[in-house]
Amino acid sequence: MSKYRSGLFLALVMLLLAVFLGLGIVLGQLFKNYYIDTYNDRLQKETKFVSSYIQENDGVSSAVKSGKINSLKEMLDSNITVVNQDGSVQYSTDVTQENNKAAHSQTIDRIVKENSGVHAPNEGYSVYEGRYDQHYYWKKLKSDGEAAGFVILSNQIDTLKKANQKMWLILAFSLGTALVVLLVLAASITSRYTKPIEAATSAAIELAKGNYRVRTYEEHSSETGMLSNSINILARNLQEMENLREMQQDRLGTLVENMGSGVLLIDSRGYITLINKTYRNFFGVDPLYFLYRLYYEVVQHKEVILMIEQIFMTEQSLKKHLVLPVHLERKYFEVYGAPIIGSQDEWKGILLVFHDITELKKLEQVRKDFVANVSHELKTPITSIKGFTETLLDGALHDEKSLKHFLSIVLKESDRMQTLIQELLDLSKIEQQGFSLSIQNLNLTKLLQETLPIFEQRAALKQIKLSNNSSGDAIEIEGDYDRIKQILINLISNAISYTPPGGSVEVSLEEDKKYAKVSVKDTGIGMAQEELPRIFERFYRIDKARSRNFGGTGLGLAIVKHLVEAHQGNIQVKSEPGDGTEFTVLFNQKFKYKHSLD
């Protein structure tokens, strides 16, 4: 039983006890007074009756002689005493209690003395209080109009006390029974009305703690039922609101956590309260160390700190391009900062969003380099062609030897321009989204055997040993015949171009369960390890002067890499300066997707 129900029940019990106790006292006193008044009235009437009887029978002596007065005692069941005016007893019935005779005589004497005067009343009451209370009622006897004595009737009221005790017992039993019944009813009523209130209180406490799934029993027939119903409606509404809030919070959290930009949230006091996964990946920070600390204690870049301070001071949005060192690398960021101001214009903090534009900067630089390289590559042959043409027009046209020499140079530069333009077109076509391969079953061994004779004369002119170290067994794969041949031509051509006279170029072909491996190894000038990651970039050359002498454009390996990736293959390179270079291409024997590549 809860404190509320116990308090209410105890209050009802105390109220009922007070009411029934007061009611018992009042009723007991009323009954007692009623019994005493009734007894006194009877005693008064009996006294008057005896007085009238004596006077009608010519006095006490005549009544005593006739014996009729004795019959009155038995009939009235009271003590009868007749005394003269001087106090002498003319007639008296025996007092039943021996120890009460003296008190009886004293009371008779006192009544006579107090009421013998002329102005004394004719009748009255007197009470002797003791172990056995005696009630006396007296009346003056008159003879010829003058007082002749007193008639006194007395009786003990012990029977009245016994009746009063029985009355108290009956009253106590009745009131006790009624109290018990009322207590049971009170307990039932308090339980009926307090249980829903207790349930509603418990539900309200759980709601205050955030448990919106709690429900209370509903009663539809009382005001407490309305309370329970209202609590349940409130709980359901709060649960729906909480579910909606959690869903929106999850969506927002997922969006912020997985967005492509870094997010940094700072409160109005300068403490960092939120960083998302992208920000952590950008700068490699630990959330346990970073969160809930002042921004200038944990942010390592002064540019960002200055930007935050500027927003704090101006309370205006700000956008900047920053170059920040991150893990021994310089990264480019577009940083957008904005103040967070509440609906009541209160300052709540700052939001910073970091967009990583490093790749865009790299692409922009690649574009600039590409334009510069193409311009440079085209400028050199055009300058040569223009120079030799002007020379011929200035008079060398009639010199047959000079004419042939200059025209051969013009033709060579024209071929170089044509090759450059063709390779640019090929590379552009390969990089287009709609580029597709013509996949077919082909014999890679036969394709290699058909490709090598193309370079035999060129290798012989440079005194380079060109050899095929394949076993000769047929190795079949799925691929584009022309594009794979283009890969082999570019790799073998590069190997011959960068191998000095007297060197060698070895081409081998091997097969395992899933791949066909083509290797082109030369004994040329080789490359340093730091150069290897860049050799597949467009227009990148190890030795630009020698590359131009060899007729290279700087696009061959870029084309090779794109074609190998289009075939879902892989290209690897090993090289040491002065020890030559080995390119290894791995082709899948089964092409996974035969439809056009996007």
Side-chain angles (χ1 to χ4, degrees):
M1 184 179 292
S2 67
K3 292 183 178 180
Y4 174 75
R5 194 192 311 176
S6 301
L8 181 60
F9 183 73
L10 182 61
L12 288 175
V13 170
M14 297 300 294
L15 179 62
L16 290 174
L17 285 176
V19 170
F20 277 92
L21 183 60
L23 183 63
I25 293 173
V26 172
L27 291 177
Q29 195 64 34
L30 288 176
F31 286 143
K32 180 180 178 180
N33 293 336
Y34 173 76
Y35 286 148
I36 292 176
D37 291 342
T38 303
Y39 182 81
N40 289 335
D41 289 342
R42 192 200 78 174
L43 197 62
Q44 179 184 8
K45 292 177 181 179
E46 288 176 352
T47 303
K48 291 180 179 181
F49 173 76
V50 172
S51 174
S52 299
Y53 181 81
I54 292 174
Q55 292 178 357
E56 290 176 357
N57 287 276
D58 300 326
V60 177
S61 300
S62 176
V64 171
K65 290 178 179 181
S66 62
K68 294 181 178 180
I69 194 169
N70 292 327
S71 62
L72 289 178
K73 177 183 180 302
E74 295 176 359
M75 179 179 64
L76 297 178
D77 193 22
S78 296
N79 294 322
I80 301 173
T81 304
V82 181
V83 296
N84 293 325
Q85 189 71 19
D86 57 2
S88 59
V89 178
Q90 291 183 329
Y91 174 80
S92 177
T93 58
D94 295 333
V95 179
T96 57
Q97 290 82 6
E98 292 296 332
N99 55 356
N100 216 22
K101 291 181 179 180
H104 178 72
S105 298
Q106 293 175 0
T107 304
I108 296 297
D109 293 340
R110 181 172 55 83
I111 292 173
V112 171
K113 290 178 181 180
E114 291 178 354
N115 299 285
S116 296
V118 178
H119 302 289
N122 293 323
E123 58 183 290
Y125 289 101
S126 183
V127 178
Y128 170 74
E129 295 181 356
R131 180 178 178 184
Y132 301 97
D133 291 346
Q134 293 278 349
H135 273 223
Y136 293 85
Y137 193 88
W138 52 271
K139 183 175 176 58
K140 290 181 178 181
L141 289 174
K142 292 185 177 181
S143 176
D144 300 327
E146 294 182 359
F150 294 89
V151 177
I152 302 172
L153 267 71
S154 65
N155 203 345
Q156 295 180 354
I157 60 171
D158 55 344
T159 57
L160 184 61
K161 287 185 176 181
K162 292 179 181 180
N164 192 37
Q165 290 175 354
K166 292 181 180 179
M167 179 270 295
W168 274 109
L169 289 175
I170 295 172
L171 185 62
F173 176 77
S174 302
L175 293 180
T177 304
L179 178 62
V180 171
V181 173
L182 288 177
L183 288 178
V184 173
L185 291 177
S188 176
I189 292 173
T190 53
S191 175
R192 178 182 178 184
Y193 283 96
T194 58
K195 277 187 177 180
I197 296 175
E198 291 174 1
T201 303
S202 300
I205 293 174
E206 291 296 320
L207 290 176
K209 293 179 180 179
N211 180 16
Y212 300 132
R213 294 182 176 85
V214 68
R215 297 293 184 272
T216 182
Y217 177 73
E218 294 185 12
E219 292 183 359
H220 303 284
S221 59
S222 63
E223 289 77 5
T224 56
M226 296 175 61
L227 175 62
S228 301
N229 187 32
S230 300
I231 291 290
N232 288 339
I233 293 174
L234 176 61
R236 283 191 290 269
N237 292 337
L238 289 175
Q239 185 177 8
E240 291 176 0
M241 293 172 61
E242 178 66 14
N243 292 338
L244 182 60
R245 187 193 65 81
E246 289 179 356
M247 182 175 64
Q248 292 177 347
Q249 185 175 1
D250 291 341
R251 289 177 179 176
L252 180 60
T254 303
L255 175 63
V256 172
E257 189 69 13
N258 296 284
M259 64 187 300
S261 301
V263 175
L264 175 65
L265 187 63
I266 303 172
D267 65 12
S268 58
R269 299 178 299 166
Y271 287 89
I272 297 174
T273 58
L274 174 67
I275 54 174
N276 68 344
K277 182 172 65 177
T278 306
Y279 185 92
R280 297 194 295 269
N281 294 336
F282 280 168
F283 301 102
V285 298
D286 184 5
L288 297 178
Y289 169 77
F290 208 78
L291 289 175
Y292 308 109
R293 299 187 63 182
L294 293 171
Y295 68 90
Y296 51 79
E297 293 180 352
V298 292
V299 175
Q300 301 297 324
H301 304 97
K302 293 183 179 180
E303 298 89 341
V304 179
I305 294 176
L306 292 175
M307 185 175 179
I308 295 173
E309 292 176 350
Q310 185 175 356
I311 297 173
F312 266 115
M313 290 185 293
T314 61
E315 297 186 5
Q316 293 181 354
S317 300
L318 192 62
K319 181 179 180 182
K320 284 188 176 182
H321 288 258
L322 303 178
V323 181
L324 305 176
V326 180
H327 304 306
L328 303 178
E329 182 183 359
R330 293 170 61 85
K331 286 193 173 185
Y332 295 84
F333 290 96
E334 182 182 63
V335 184
Y336 178 79
I340 303 174
I341 300 176
S343 58
Q344 303 297 327
D345 293 334
E346 69 272 18
W347 179 264
K348 291 191 174 181
I350 290 177
L351 175 67
L352 291 181
V353 180
F354 294 77
H355 302 286
D356 187 0
I357 58 173
T358 304
E359 293 299 324
L360 294 177
K361 289 291 184 180
K362 288 182 179 180
L363 290 175
E364 183 179 355
Q365 188 62 39
V366 169
R367 180 185 61 81
K368 292 179 180 178
D369 294 342
F370 177 76
V371 173
N373 288 328
V374 170
S375 300
H376 184 72
E377 294 295 333
L378 290 176
K379 180 181 178 181
T380 301
I382 290 175
T383 302
S384 299
I385 293 172
K386 182 179 180 182
F388 287 116
T389 302
E390 291 176 349
T391 302
L392 290 174
L393 292 175
D394 288 341
L397 184 61
H398 302 290
D399 187 349
E400 183 177 354
K401 183 177 180 180
S402 298
L403 177 61
K404 288 182 179 180
H405 177 66
F406 291 160
L407 289 177
S408 63
I409 294 175
V410 170
L411 178 61
K412 180 180 178 181
E413 296 296 336
S414 299
D415 291 340
R416 182 179 173 185
M417 288 178 59
Q418 183 180 3
T419 302
L420 175 61
I421 294 171
Q422 184 61 45
E423 289 186 350
L424 285 172
L425 292 173
D426 289 343
L427 185 59
S428 176
K429 184 178 180 180
I430 293 171
E431 291 180 342
Q432 286 179 359
Q433 187 175 2
F435 174 71
S436 61
L437 298 174
S438 179
I439 304 299
Q440 57 183 321
N441 290 323
L442 58 90
N443 189 331
L444 191 57
T445 304
K446 183 178 179 181
L447 176 59
L448 180 60
Q449 292 173 352
E450 293 175 354
T451 304
L452 286 177
I454 299 175
F455 300 97
E456 288 179 353
Q457 183 178 359
R458 181 179 169 188
L461 291 175
K462 291 189 65 175
Q463 298 179 356
I464 294 174
K465 181 182 179 182
L466 179 62
S467 60
N468 183 1
N469 295 334
S470 303
S471 62
D473 297 334
I475 299 176
E476 293 188 353
I477 65 171
E478 293 181 350
D480 189 320
Y481 180 89
D482 294 330
R483 297 302 180 183
I484 293 180
K485 186 174 182 179
Q486 185 178 2
I487 292 172
L488 296 176
I489 289 174
N490 284 352
L491 291 177
I492 297 173
S493 176
N494 276 358
I496 294 174
S497 297
Y498 290 94
T499 300
S504 64
V505 176
E506 297 179 0
V507 183
S508 62
L509 181 61
E510 298 178 1
E511 176 184 29
D512 61 13
K513 295 181 180 180
K514 294 183 179 181
Y515 302 101
K517 181 171 71 173
V518 179
S519 298
V520 179
K521 183 177 181 181
D522 61 57
T523 58
I525 61 175
M527 295 175 285
Q529 291 297 318
E530 59 269 16
E531 302 284 350
L532 295 182
R534 300 193 60 189
I535 61 175
F536 296 104
E537 295 179 7
R538 288 174 288 189
F539 297 109
Y540 184 80
R541 295 188 180 88
I542 304 300
D543 187 340
K544 295 184 179 181
R546 295 182 63 180
S547 296
R548 291 193 183 94
N549 293 334
F550 295 144
T553 62
L555 297 174
L557 288 180
I559 294 174
V560 168
K561 183 175 183 295
H562 280 83
L563 289 177
V564 170
E565 290 177 349
H567 280 84
Q568 303 169 3
N570 186 22
I571 185 169
Q572 302 170 356
V573 58
K574 296 179 182 178
S575 183
E576 291 291 338
D579 291 337
T581 304
E582 180 180 6
F583 284 91
T584 302
V585 181
L586 299 176
F587 291 106
N588 289 314
Q589 292 186 344
K590 296 294 184 180
F591 195 78
K592 295 182 180 179
Y593 307 101
K594 295 186 179 181
H595 53 275
S596 61
L597 299 176
D598 296 333

